[in-house]
Coordinates of all heavy atoms in Angstrom, one line a residue:
L200 N 43.6 -25.6 47.4 CA 43.8 -27.0 47.6 C 43.5 -27.7 46.3 O 44.3 -28.7 46.0 CB 42.9 -27.4 48.7 CG 43.1 -28.9 49.2 CD1 44.5 -29.1 49.7 CD2 42.0 -29.2 50.2
E201 N 42.6 -27.3 45.5 CA 42.3 -28.0 44.2 C 43.4 -27.8 43.3 O 43.8 -28.7 42.5 CB 41.0 -27.4 43.6 CG 39.7 -27.8 44.3 CD 38.5 -27.1 43.7 OE1 38.7 -26.0 43.1 OE2 37.4 -27.7 43.8
M202 N 44.0 -26.6 43.3 CA 45.2 -26.4 42.4 C 46.3 -27.3 42.7 O 47.0 -27.9 41.9 CB 45.7 -24.9 42.5 CG 44.7 -23.9 41.9 SD 44.3 -24.2 40.2 CE 45.9 -24.0 39.4
K203 N 46.6 -27.5 44.0 CA 47.7 -28.4 44.4 C 47.4 -29.8 44.2 O 48.2 -30.6 43.7 CB 48.0 -28.1 45.9 CG 49.1 -28.9 46.5 CD 49.3 -28.6 47.9 CE 50.4 -29.4 48.5 NZ 50.6 -29.2 49.9
L204 N 46.2 -30.3 44.5 CA 45.9 -31.7 44.5 C 45.4 -32.2 43.2 O 45.5 -33.4 42.9 CB 44.8 -32.0 45.6 CG 45.3 -31.8 47.0 CD1 44.2 -32.1 48.0 CD2 46.5 -32.6 47.4
F205 N 44.8 -31.4 42.4 CA 44.2 -31.8 41.1 C 44.9 -31.1 39.9 O 45.5 -31.8 39.1 CB 42.7 -31.6 41.1 CG 42.1 -32.1 39.8 CD1 41.8 -33.4 39.7 CD2 41.7 -31.2 38.8 CE1 41.3 -33.9 38.5 CE2 41.2 -31.7 37.6 CZ 41.0 -33.0 37.5
F206 N 44.8 -29.9 39.8 CA 45.2 -29.2 38.6 C 46.7 -29.2 38.3 O 47.1 -29.3 37.2 CB 44.7 -27.7 38.6 CG 43.2 -27.6 38.4 CD1 42.4 -27.3 39.5 CD2 42.6 -27.7 37.2 CE1 41.1 -27.2 39.4 CE2 41.3 -27.6 37.0 CZ 40.5 -27.4 38.1
S207 N 47.5 -29.3 39.3 CA 48.9 -29.4 39.1 C 49.4 -30.8 38.8 O 50.6 -31.0 38.5 CB 49.7 -28.8 40.3 OG 49.5 -29.7 41.4
K208 N 48.6 -31.8 38.8 CA 49.0 -33.2 38.7 C 48.5 -33.9 37.4 O 48.8 -35.0 37.1 CB 48.6 -34.0 39.9 CG 49.3 -33.6 41.1 CD 49.0 -34.4 42.3 CE 49.8 -34.0 43.5 NZ 49.4 -34.8 44.7
H209 N 47.6 -33.1 36.6 CA 47.0 -33.8 35.5 C 47.1 -32.9 34.3 O 47.2 -31.7 34.4 CB 45.5 -34.0 35.8 CG 45.3 -34.9 36.9 ND1 45.4 -36.3 36.9 CD2 44.9 -34.6 38.2 CE1 45.1 -36.8 38.1 NE2 44.9 -35.8 38.9
W210 N 47.1 -33.5 33.1 CA 47.1 -32.8 31.9 C 45.8 -32.0 31.8 O 44.7 -32.5 32.3 CB 47.2 -33.7 30.7 CG 48.5 -34.2 30.4 CD1 49.0 -35.5 30.8 CD2 49.6 -33.5 29.8 NE1 50.3 -35.6 30.4 CE2 50.7 -34.4 29.8 CE3 49.8 -32.3 29.3 CZ2 51.9 -34.1 29.3 CZ3 51.0 -32.0 28.7 CH2 52.1 -32.8 28.7
L211 N 45.8 -30.8 31.3 CA 44.6 -30.0 31.3 C 44.3 -29.6 29.8 O 45.2 -29.3 29.0 CB 44.8 -28.7 32.1 CG 45.1 -28.9 33.6 CD1 45.4 -27.5 34.2 CD2 43.9 -29.5 34.3
F212 N 43.1 -29.6 29.4 CA 42.7 -29.0 28.1 C 42.9 -27.5 28.1 O 42.5 -26.8 29.0 CB 41.2 -29.3 27.8 CG 40.8 -28.7 26.6 CD1 41.1 -29.2 25.3 CD2 40.1 -27.5 26.6 CE1 40.7 -28.6 24.2 CE2 39.7 -26.8 25.4 CZ 40.0 -27.4 24.2
A213 N 43.7 -27.1 27.1 CA 44.0 -25.6 27.0 C 43.2 -25.0 25.9 O 42.6 -24.0 26.0 CB 45.4 -25.4 26.9
A214 N 43.3 -25.6 24.7 CA 42.7 -25.0 23.5 C 42.7 -26.0 22.4 O 43.4 -27.0 22.4 CB 43.4 -23.7 23.1
M215 N 41.9 -25.8 21.4 CA 41.9 -26.6 20.2 C 42.9 -26.0 19.2 O 43.0 -24.8 19.0 CB 40.5 -26.7 19.6 CG 39.6 -27.4 20.5 SD 38.0 -27.8 19.8 CE 37.3 -26.1 19.6
T216 N 43.6 -26.9 18.4 CA 44.6 -26.4 17.5 C 43.9 -25.5 16.4 O 44.6 -24.6 15.9 CB 45.3 -27.6 16.8 OG1 44.4 -28.5 16.2 CG2 46.2 -28.3 17.8
C217 N 42.6 -25.8 16.1 CA 42.0 -25.0 15.1 C 41.8 -23.5 15.5 O 41.6 -22.6 14.7 CB 40.6 -25.6 14.7 SG 39.4 -25.6 16.0
E218 N 42.0 -23.2 16.8 CA 41.9 -21.9 17.3 C 43.1 -21.1 17.0 O 43.1 -19.9 17.1 CB 41.7 -21.9 18.8 CG 40.4 -22.5 19.3 CD 40.3 -22.4 20.8 OE1 40.0 -21.3 21.4 OE2 40.4 -23.5 21.4
I219 N 44.2 -21.8 16.7 CA 45.4 -21.1 16.3 C 45.9 -21.8 15.0 O 47.0 -22.3 15.0 CB 46.5 -21.2 17.4 CG1 46.6 -22.6 17.9 CG2 46.1 -20.3 18.6 CD1 47.8 -22.8 18.9
S220 N 45.1 -21.6 14.0 CA 45.4 -22.3 12.7 C 46.5 -21.7 11.9 O 47.2 -22.3 11.1 CB 44.1 -22.5 11.9 OG 43.6 -21.2 11.6
E221 N 46.7 -20.4 12.1 CA 47.6 -19.6 11.2 C 48.8 -19.2 12.0 O 48.7 -18.9 13.2 CB 47.0 -18.4 10.6 CG 45.8 -18.7 9.7 CD 46.2 -19.5 8.5 OE1 47.3 -19.2 7.9 OE2 45.4 -20.4 8.1
P222 N 50.0 -19.2 11.4 CA 51.2 -18.7 12.2 C 50.9 -17.3 12.7 O 50.4 -16.4 12.0 CB 52.3 -18.6 11.1 CG 51.9 -19.7 10.1 CD 50.4 -19.7 10.1
G223 N 51.2 -17.1 14.0 CA 51.0 -15.8 14.6 C 49.7 -15.8 15.4 O 49.5 -14.9 16.3
D224 N 48.9 -16.8 15.3 CA 47.7 -16.9 16.1 C 48.1 -17.3 17.5 O 49.0 -18.1 17.7 CB 46.7 -17.9 15.6 CG 46.0 -17.5 14.3 OD1 46.1 -16.4 13.9 OD2 45.3 -18.4 13.7
W225 N 47.4 -16.8 18.5 CA 47.7 -17.2 19.9 C 46.4 -17.1 20.7 O 45.4 -16.4 20.4 CB 48.8 -16.3 20.5 CG 48.4 -14.8 20.5 CD1 48.8 -13.9 19.6 CD2 47.7 -14.1 21.5 NE1 48.3 -12.6 19.9 CE2 47.6 -12.7 21.1 CE3 47.1 -14.4 22.7 CZ2 47.0 -11.8 21.9 CZ3 46.4 -13.5 23.5 CH2 46.4 -12.1 23.0
V226 N 46.4 -17.9 21.8 CA 45.3 -17.9 22.8 C 46.0 -17.8 24.2 O 47.1 -18.4 24.4 CB 44.4 -19.1 22.7 CG1 43.6 -19.0 21.4 CG2 45.1 -20.4 22.9
R227 N 45.3 -17.1 25.1 CA 45.8 -17.0 26.4 C 45.0 -18.0 27.3 O 43.7 -18.0 27.1 CB 45.6 -15.6 27.0 CG 46.3 -15.4 28.3 CD 45.9 -14.1 28.9 NE 44.6 -14.3 29.6 CZ 43.7 -13.4 29.7 NH1 43.8 -12.2 29.2 NH2 42.6 -13.7 30.4
V228 N 45.6 -18.7 28.1 CA 44.9 -19.7 29.0 C 45.4 -19.4 30.4 O 46.6 -19.4 30.7 CB 45.2 -21.1 28.7 CG1 44.5 -22.1 29.7 CG2 44.8 -21.4 27.2
D229 N 44.4 -19.1 31.3 CA 44.8 -18.8 32.7 C 44.3 -20.0 33.5 O 43.2 -20.4 33.4 CB 44.0 -17.5 33.2 CG 44.6 -16.3 32.5 OD1 45.7 -16.3 32.0 OD2 43.8 -15.3 32.4
I230 N 45.3 -20.5 34.4 CA 45.0 -21.6 35.2 C 45.4 -21.2 36.6 O 46.6 -21.1 36.9 CB 45.7 -22.9 34.7 CG1 45.4 -23.2 33.3 CG2 45.4 -24.0 35.7 CD1 46.3 -24.1 32.6
G231 N 44.4 -20.9 37.5 CA 44.8 -20.4 38.8 C 45.5 -19.1 38.6 O 45.0 -18.2 37.9
R232 N 46.6 -18.9 39.3 CA 47.4 -17.7 39.2 C 48.4 -17.7 38.0 O 49.0 -16.7 37.7 CB 48.2 -17.5 40.5 CG 47.3 -17.0 41.6 CD 48.1 -16.7 42.8 NE 48.4 -17.9 43.6 CZ 49.2 -18.0 44.6 NH1 49.8 -16.9 45.0 NH2 49.3 -19.1 45.3
E233 N 48.4 -18.8 37.3 CA 49.3 -18.9 36.1 C 48.6 -18.5 34.9 O 47.4 -18.7 34.7 CB 49.9 -20.3 36.0 CG 50.5 -20.9 37.2 CD 51.7 -20.0 37.6 OE1 52.4 -19.5 36.8 OE2 52.0 -20.0 38.9
S234 N 49.4 -17.9 34.0 CA 48.9 -17.5 32.6 C 49.8 -18.0 31.6 O 51.0 -17.8 31.7 CB 48.7 -16.0 32.6 OG 48.2 -15.6 31.3
V235 N 49.3 -18.6 30.6 CA 50.1 -19.2 29.5 C 49.6 -18.7 28.1 O 48.4 -18.5 28.0 CB 50.0 -20.8 29.6 CG1 50.6 -21.5 28.4 CG2 50.5 -21.3 30.9
V236 N 50.5 -18.5 27.3 CA 50.1 -18.1 25.9 C 50.5 -19.3 25.0 O 51.7 -19.8 25.0 CB 50.9 -16.9 25.4 CG1 50.5 -16.5 24.0 CG2 50.6 -15.7 26.4
I237 N 49.5 -19.8 24.2 CA 49.8 -20.9 23.3 C 49.8 -20.3 21.9 O 48.8 -19.6 21.5 CB 48.7 -22.0 23.4 CG1 48.7 -22.5 24.8 CG2 49.0 -23.1 22.4 CD1 47.5 -23.3 25.2
V238 N 50.8 -20.5 21.1 CA 51.0 -19.8 19.8 C 51.2 -20.8 18.7 O 51.7 -21.9 19.0 CB 52.2 -18.9 19.9 CG1 52.0 -17.8 20.9 CG2 53.5 -19.6 20.1
R239 N 50.9 -20.4 17.5 CA 51.2 -21.2 16.3 C 52.5 -20.5 15.8 O 52.4 -19.3 15.4 CB 50.1 -21.1 15.3 CG 50.4 -21.8 14.0 CD 50.4 -23.3 14.1 NE 49.1 -23.8 14.3 CZ 48.9 -25.1 14.4 NH1 49.8 -26.0 14.3 NH2 47.6 -25.5 14.7
K240 N 53.6 -21.2 15.8 CA 54.8 -20.6 15.4 C 54.9 -20.5 13.8 O 54.2 -21.1 13.1 CB 56.0 -21.3 15.9 CG 56.0 -21.4 17.4 CD 57.2 -22.0 18.0 CE 57.8 -23.2 17.4 NZ 59.0 -23.7 18.0
K241 N 55.9 -19.8 13.3 CA 56.1 -19.6 11.9 C 56.3 -20.9 11.2 O 55.9 -21.1 10.0 CB 57.3 -18.6 11.6 CG 57.0 -17.2 12.0 CD 58.3 -16.3 11.8 CE 58.0 -14.9 12.3 NZ 59.2 -14.1 12.3
D242 N 56.9 -21.9 11.9 CA 57.2 -23.2 11.3 C 56.0 -24.1 11.4 O 56.1 -25.3 11.0 CB 58.5 -23.8 11.9 CG 58.3 -24.1 13.3 OD1 57.2 -24.0 13.9 OD2 59.3 -24.6 13.9
G243 N 54.9 -23.6 11.9 CA 53.7 -24.4 12.0 C 53.5 -25.2 13.3 O 52.5 -25.7 13.5
E244 N 54.6 -25.3 14.1 CA 54.5 -26.0 15.3 C 53.7 -25.1 16.4 O 53.6 -23.9 16.2 CB 55.9 -26.3 15.9 CG 56.7 -27.2 15.0 CD 56.1 -28.6 15.0 OE1 55.7 -29.1 16.1 OE2 56.0 -29.2 13.9
V245 N 53.2 -25.8 17.4 CA 52.5 -25.2 18.4 C 53.4 -25.1 19.7 O 54.1 -26.1 20.0 CB 51.2 -25.9 18.8 CG1 50.5 -25.3 20.1 CG2 50.2 -25.9 17.6
A246 N 53.5 -24.0 20.3 CA 54.3 -23.9 21.5 C 53.5 -23.1 22.6 O 52.6 -22.3 22.3 CB 55.6 -23.1 21.2
A247 N 53.9 -23.3 23.8 CA 53.2 -22.6 24.9 C 54.3 -22.0 25.8 O 55.4 -22.6 26.0 CB 52.4 -23.6 25.8
Y248 N 54.1 -20.8 26.2 CA 55.0 -20.0 27.0 C 54.3 -19.4 28.2 O 53.1 -19.1 28.1 CB 55.6 -18.9 26.2 CG 56.3 -19.4 24.9 CD1 55.6 -19.4 23.7 CD2 57.6 -19.9 25.0 CE1 56.2 -19.8 22.6 CE2 58.2 -20.3 23.8 CZ 57.5 -20.3 22.6 OH 58.1 -20.7 21.5
H249 N 55.1 -19.2 29.3 CA 54.5 -18.4 30.4 C 54.2 -17.0 29.8 O 55.0 -16.4 29.1 CB 55.5 -18.2 31.5 CG 55.7 -19.5 32.3 ND1 54.7 -19.9 33.3 CD2 56.6 -20.5 32.3 CE1 55.1 -21.0 33.8 NE2 56.2 -21.4 33.2
N250 N 53.1 -16.5 30.2 CA 52.6 -15.1 29.7 C 53.2 -14.1 30.7 O 52.5 -13.3 31.3 CB 51.1 -15.1 29.8 CG 50.6 -13.8 29.2 OD1 51.3 -13.1 28.5 ND2 49.3 -13.5 29.5
T251 N 54.5 -14.1 30.8 CA 55.2 -13.2 31.7 C 56.5 -12.6 31.0 O 57.3 -13.4 30.4 CB 55.7 -14.0 32.9 OG1 54.6 -14.7 33.5 CG2 56.4 -13.1 33.9
C252 N 56.6 -11.4 31.0 CA 57.7 -10.7 30.4 C 59.0 -11.0 31.2 O 59.0 -10.9 32.4 CB 57.4 -9.2 30.3 SG 58.7 -8.3 29.5
R253 N 60.1 -11.2 30.4 CA 61.4 -11.5 31.0 C 62.0 -10.2 31.6 O 62.9 -10.3 32.4 CB 62.3 -12.1 30.0 CG 61.9 -13.4 29.5 CD 62.7 -14.0 28.4 NE 64.1 -14.3 29.0 CZ 65.1 -14.7 28.3 NH1 64.9 -14.9 27.0 NH2 66.2 -15.0 28.8
H254 N 61.4 -9.0 31.3 CA 62.0 -7.8 31.8 C 61.6 -7.6 33.2 O 62.4 -7.7 34.1 CB 61.6 -6.6 30.9 CG 62.2 -5.3 31.3 ND1 61.5 -4.2 31.3 CD2 63.4 -5.0 31.8 CE1 62.2 -3.2 31.7 NE2 63.4 -3.7 32.0
R255 N 60.4 -7.3 33.4 CA 59.9 -7.0 34.8 C 58.7 -7.8 35.2 O 58.0 -7.5 36.2 CB 59.6 -5.5 34.9 CG 60.7 -4.6 34.7 CD 61.5 -4.3 36.0 NE 62.7 -3.7 35.9 CZ 62.9 -2.4 36.0 NH1 61.9 -1.6 36.4 NH2 64.1 -1.8 35.8
G256 N 58.4 -8.8 34.4 CA 57.3 -9.8 34.8 C 55.9 -9.3 34.5 O 54.9 -10.0 35.0
S257 N 55.7 -8.4 33.7 CA 54.3 -8.0 33.3 C 53.7 -9.0 32.5 O 54.4 -9.8 31.8 CB 54.4 -6.6 32.5 OG 53.1 -6.3 32.1
R258 N 52.4 -9.1 32.5 CA 51.6 -10.0 31.6 C 51.8 -9.4 30.2 O 51.4 -8.3 29.9 CB 50.2 -10.1 32.0 CG 50.0 -10.8 33.3 CD 49.5 -12.2 33.1 NE 49.7 -13.0 34.3 CZ 48.7 -13.7 34.9 NH1 47.5 -13.6 34.3 NH2 48.9 -14.4 36.0
I259 N 52.2 -10.3 29.2 CA 52.4 -9.8 27.9 C 51.1 -9.7 27.1 O 50.7 -8.7 26.5 CB 53.4 -10.8 27.1 CG1 54.7 -10.7 27.9 CG2 53.5 -10.4 25.7 CD1 55.7 -11.8 27.4
C260 N 50.3 -10.8 27.1 CA 49.0 -10.8 26.4 C 47.9 -10.6 27.4 O 47.7 -11.3 28.3 CB 48.8 -12.2 25.7 SG 50.0 -12.6 24.5
Q261 N 47.2 -9.5 27.1 CA 46.1 -9.0 28.0 C 44.8 -9.6 27.5 O 43.9 -9.9 28.3 CB 46.0 -7.5 28.1 CG 47.3 -6.9 28.5 CD 47.7 -7.1 29.9 OE1 46.9 -7.1 30.8 NE2 49.0 -7.2 30.2
E262 N 44.6 -9.7 26.2 CA 43.4 -10.2 25.6 C 43.4 -11.7 25.6 O 44.4 -12.4 25.9 CB 43.3 -9.8 24.1 CG 43.5 -8.3 23.9 CD 42.3 -7.5 24.5 OE1 41.2 -8.0 24.5 OE2 42.6 -6.4 25.1
E263 N 42.2 -12.3 25.3 CA 42.0 -13.8 25.4 C 42.7 -14.5 24.2 O 43.1 -15.6 24.2 CB 40.6 -14.2 25.5 CG 40.0 -13.9 26.8 CD 38.6 -14.4 26.9 OE1 38.2 -15.3 26.1 OE2 37.9 -14.0 27.8
R264 N 42.7 -13.8 23.0 CA 43.3 -14.4 21.8 C 43.6 -13.2 20.9 O 43.2 -12.1 21.0 CB 42.3 -15.3 21.2 CG 41.0 -14.7 20.7 CD 40.0 -15.7 20.2 NE 39.5 -16.5 21.3 CZ 39.7 -17.8 21.4 NH1 40.3 -18.5 20.5 NH2 39.3 -18.5 22.5
G265 N 44.5 -13.6 19.9 CA 44.8 -12.6 18.9 C 45.7 -13.2 17.8 O 45.9 -14.4 17.7
H266 N 46.2 -12.3 17.1 CA 47.2 -12.7 16.0 C 48.2 -11.5 15.9 O 47.9 -10.4 15.9 CB 46.4 -12.7 14.6 CG 47.3 -13.0 13.5 ND1 47.6 -14.3 13.1 CD2 48.0 -12.2 12.7 CE1 48.4 -14.3 12.1 NE2 48.7 -13.0 11.8
A267 N 49.5 -12.0 15.9 CA 50.6 -11.0 15.9 C 51.8 -11.6 15.3 O 52.1 -12.8 15.4 CB 50.8 -10.5 17.3
G268 N 52.6 -10.8 14.6 CA 53.9 -11.2 14.1 C 54.9 -11.4 15.2 O 55.7 -12.2 15.3
R269 N 54.7 -10.5 16.2 CA 55.5 -10.5 17.4 C 54.6 -10.1 18.6 O 53.7 -9.3 18.4 CB 56.7 -9.6 17.3 CG 57.7 -9.9 16.3 CD 58.9 -8.9 16.4 NE 60.0 -9.4 15.6 CZ 61.0 -10.2 16.1 NH1 61.0 -10.5 17.3 NH2 61.9 -10.6 15.3
L270 N 54.8 -10.8 19.7 CA 54.1 -10.4 20.9 C 54.9 -9.2 21.6 O 56.1 -9.3 21.7 CB 54.0 -11.5 21.9 CG 53.2 -12.7 21.3 CD1 53.1 -13.9 22.4 CD2 51.7 -12.3 21.0
V271 N 54.2 -8.2 22.0 CA 54.8 -7.0 22.5 C 54.3 -6.8 24.0 O 53.1 -6.7 24.2 CB 54.5 -5.8 21.7 CG1 55.2 -4.5 22.3 CG2 55.0 -6.0 20.3
C272 N 55.2 -6.7 24.9 CA 54.8 -6.4 26.3 C 54.3 -5.0 26.4 O 54.9 -4.1 25.9 CB 56.1 -6.6 27.2 SG 55.7 -6.2 28.9
P273 N 53.2 -4.8 27.0 CA 52.6 -3.5 27.0 C 53.3 -2.5 28.0 O 53.0 -1.3 27.9 CB 51.1 -3.7 27.5 CG 51.2 -5.0 28.3 CD 52.3 -5.8 27.6
Y274 N 54.2 -3.0 28.8 CA 54.8 -2.2 29.8 C 56.0 -1.3 29.2 O 55.9 -0.1 29.2 CB 55.3 -3.0 31.0 CG 55.4 -2.3 32.3 CD1 54.8 -1.1 32.5 CD2 56.2 -2.8 33.3 CE1 54.9 -0.4 33.7 CE2 56.3 -2.2 34.5 CZ 55.7 -0.9 34.7 OH 55.9 -0.3 35.8
H275 N 57.0 -2.0 28.7 CA 58.1 -1.3 28.1 C 58.4 -1.8 26.7 O 59.5 -1.5 26.2 CB 59.4 -1.5 29.0 CG 59.3 -1.2 30.4 ND1 59.1 -2.1 31.4 CD2 59.2 0.0 31.0 CE1 59.0 -1.6 32.6 NE2 59.1 -0.3 32.4
Q276 N 57.5 -2.5 26.1 CA 57.5 -2.8 24.7 C 58.6 -3.8 24.3 O 59.1 -3.8 23.2 CB 57.6 -1.6 23.8 CG 56.2 -0.9 23.6 CD 55.8 -0.2 24.9 OE1 56.6 0.6 25.4 NE2 54.6 -0.4 25.4
W277 N 59.1 -4.6 25.3 CA 60.0 -5.7 24.8 C 59.1 -6.6 23.9 O 57.9 -6.8 24.1 CB 60.4 -6.5 26.0 CG 61.6 -5.9 26.8 CD1 61.9 -4.6 26.9 CD2 62.6 -6.7 27.5 NE1 63.0 -4.5 27.7 CE2 63.4 -5.7 28.1 CE3 62.8 -8.0 27.7 CZ2 64.5 -6.1 28.8 CZ3 63.9 -8.4 28.5 CH2 64.8 -7.4 29.0
T278 N 59.8 -7.1 22.9 CA 59.1 -7.9 21.9 C 59.6 -9.4 21.9 O 60.7 -9.6 22.2 CB 59.2 -7.3 20.5 OG1 60.6 -7.4 20.1 CG2 58.7 -5.9 20.4
Y279 N 58.7 -10.3 21.5 CA 59.0 -11.7 21.5 C 58.5 -12.3 20.2 O 57.4 -12.1 19.8 CB 58.3 -12.4 22.7 CG 58.7 -11.9 24.0 CD1 58.1 -10.8 24.6 CD2 59.7 -12.5 24.7 CE1 58.5 -10.3 25.8 CE2 60.2 -12.0 25.9 CZ 59.5 -10.9 26.5 OH 60.0 -10.4 27.7
G280 N 59.5 -12.9 19.5 CA 59.2 -13.5 18.2 C 58.5 -14.8 18.3 O 58.0 -15.4 17.3
Ligands
LIG279 S1 57.9 -5.5 31.9 FE1 57.8 -6.1 29.8 S2 59.0 -4.8 28.8 FE2 59.2 -4.2 30.9

């Protein structure tokens, strides 16, 4: 009920930009059943993506944070730039 009435209707704090200061840095944020990966892209912009593989829906990032040139799905190794 909280997810429906509160969390889905308001902006939520996810992370500070200093946590992903370098290109390739990422943090995982779980909100209810949803999981999001926030990344610092090569061009310096910040982007957020569903933490779900396009192949079979596996969670791509298992750790809370990291640094990678490409994110690799642990299931069948699809990669995301
Ligand atoms: S589920 Fe990610 S590569 Fe298959």
Side-chain angles (χ1 to χ4, degrees):
L200 187 58
E201 288 176 333
M202 292 302 297
K203 180 179 177 184
L204 296 178
F205 182 77
F206 290 102
S207 66
K208 294 184 178 179
H209 301 280
W210 286 100
L211 301 173
F212 172 80
M215 295 187 294
T216 55
C217 64
E218 295 180 75
I219 50 171
S220 59
E221 299 297 322
D224 288 349
W225 59 267
V226 294
R227 191 194 80 214
V228 178
D229 295 334
I230 304 165
R232 286 186 275 172
E233 305 299 327
S234 183
V235 174
V236 179
I237 303 169
V238 300
R239 177 74 67 179
K240 301 190 315 180
K241 290 178 184 171
D242 63 6
E244 294 293 317
V245 173
Y248 303 97
H249 286 280
N250 186 17
T251 304
C252 183
R253 295 176 67 182
H254 181 221
R255 298 272 170 98
S257 178
R258 291 260 166 122
I259 298 167
C260 296
Q261 309 288 325
E262 306 296 325
E263 287 187 17
R264 63 188 66 242
H266 177 90
R269 292 182 170 270
L270 298 177
V271 180
C272 177
Y274 203 19
H275 305 103
Q276 283 72 52
W277 279 32
T278 61
Y279 299 87

